[in-house]
Amino acid sequence: EKHSATVVSGTVALKAVPKEAIKMVAACDETVLAAPDLAHLHGLPVQPLFRQQYHAITGERSDRGVLAEVTLPKLRTLDELPVTARRLLAVHDVRDAANLGMLVRSVAGLEWDGIVIVGSGTSDPFCLPSIRASTGLVFQVPIYTCDTLGAIKWPAVYAEVQKKLPAALKDTAPQKLAPGIDIYGEPIDQSGPLVLAVGNEQFGFDLIKDIRPDHFAVLRVAEAVGSLNVAIAGSILMQAL
């Protein structure tokens, strides 16, 4: 059974939640709600909350904890994508909810047009760790869903670190990331719509079961490091594109 609501905790995340989505507010200390950046919560009924209750729900300890029950926004289909959209981040099988939340935050901060959850293996964007890592921005960034990367009819850039590349491609990877240049040394056309695809934290993006992207964008990292967090790698490449 699908849930229709979730819990958002902390004043930072609650700043990003639209008032009309908030069903109930509970606080250990009501004075925290008087902050100007929480003005949209003013006037809402507030339930008392014990510190032990707040800790049991959120895993956090705070004398001034605040949380809200929030109606889940609707995940969108690609048919709802605005004609003005030019940059999308596609995520496939990203299992760590905090990684997903950080990617959503980068999409918002770098002013991309949305995030597309490809397939069914990615974490729930509206679970507490994702909401917390995104600082509530999962309620503002458009989130779309589709079955395969090929469903997005845009040129696709596949994000990967050099160590995970197929053996035949490893030697051609550039020493450093060149913004707008793919692994083959070819310029990536940035004049039109573009989707950047990032994949599973351990296995990357499964190219065999999905359409082959138009470009590889590669981050070469030191051998001792081996890989980068998917949220870090995705954010670096979003900035480059």
Side-chain angles (χ1 to χ4, degrees):
E1 182 181 356
K2 293 184 178 180
H3 298 289
S4 60
T6 190
V7 172
V8 178
S9 67
T11 56
V12 174
L14 280 172
K15 287 190 296 185
V17 180
K19 181 176 182 177
E20 59 271 16
I22 298 173
K23 302 173 68 174
M24 181 274 291
V25 178
C28 298
D29 180 354
E30 287 192 34
T31 61
V32 73
L33 300 176
D37 53 6
L38 293 178
H40 65 302
L41 302 182
H42 297 175
L44 291 173
V46 180
Q47 301 295 324
L49 183 68
F50 293 109
R51 287 179 298 169
Q52 295 89 337
Q53 292 174 313
Y54 183 79
H55 174 65
I57 294 170
T58 68
E60 301 170 345
R61 297 187 183 277
S62 175
D63 292 332
R64 294 167 57 82
V66 57
L67 55 80
E69 182 183 7
V70 176
T71 301
L72 290 176
K74 176 178 172 288
L75 293 175
R76 311 180 191 196
T77 66
L78 293 177
D79 292 336
E80 300 173 84
L81 190 66
V83 295
T84 55
R86 285 295 178 269
R87 292 291 184 273
L88 289 173
L89 176 70
V91 296
H92 175 269
D93 206 30
V94 172
R95 301 296 181 89
D96 188 294
N99 283 339
L100 181 61
M102 287 187 283
L103 284 167
V104 169
R105 188 174 181 180
S106 291
V107 166
L110 297 172
E111 299 183 305
W112 278 39
D113 297 300
I115 189 166
V116 184
I117 296 176
V118 181
S120 59
T122 293
S123 176
D124 178 6
F126 301 113
C127 68
L128 254 177
S130 175
I131 294 170
R132 186 180 298 129
S134 76
T135 62
L137 291 169
V138 290
F139 294 97
Q140 295 187 11
V141 170
I143 302 178
Y144 303 87
T145 60
C146 66
D147 293 330
T148 67
L149 180 61
I152 311 171
K153 305 300 183 182
W154 289 9
V157 178
Y158 172 61
E160 192 56 280
V161 294
Q162 186 266 348
K163 189 174 181 179
K164 292 183 180 178
L165 284 175
L169 297 178
K170 282 188 177 182
D171 292 339
T172 65
Q175 291 293 328
K176 295 182 179 180
L177 173 68
I181 303 296
D182 73 2
I183 186 175
Y184 308 106
E186 298 174 357
I188 298 172
D189 184 2
Q190 300 181 58
S191 62
L194 202 63
V195 56
L196 173 67
V198 298
N200 179 268
E201 291 90 340
Q202 182 176 359
F203 301 109
F205 211 109
D206 189 345
L207 296 181
I208 297 175
K209 295 181 180 179
D210 208 319
I211 189 171
R212 183 184 177 91
D214 300 278
H215 299 281
F216 276 103
V218 177
L219 291 172
R220 183 184 287 273
V221 296
E223 189 68 23
V225 175
S227 185
L228 290 177
N229 177 285
V230 65
I232 294 173
S235 299
I236 291 171
L237 288 168
M238 276 192 282
Q239 176 65 51
L241 295 171

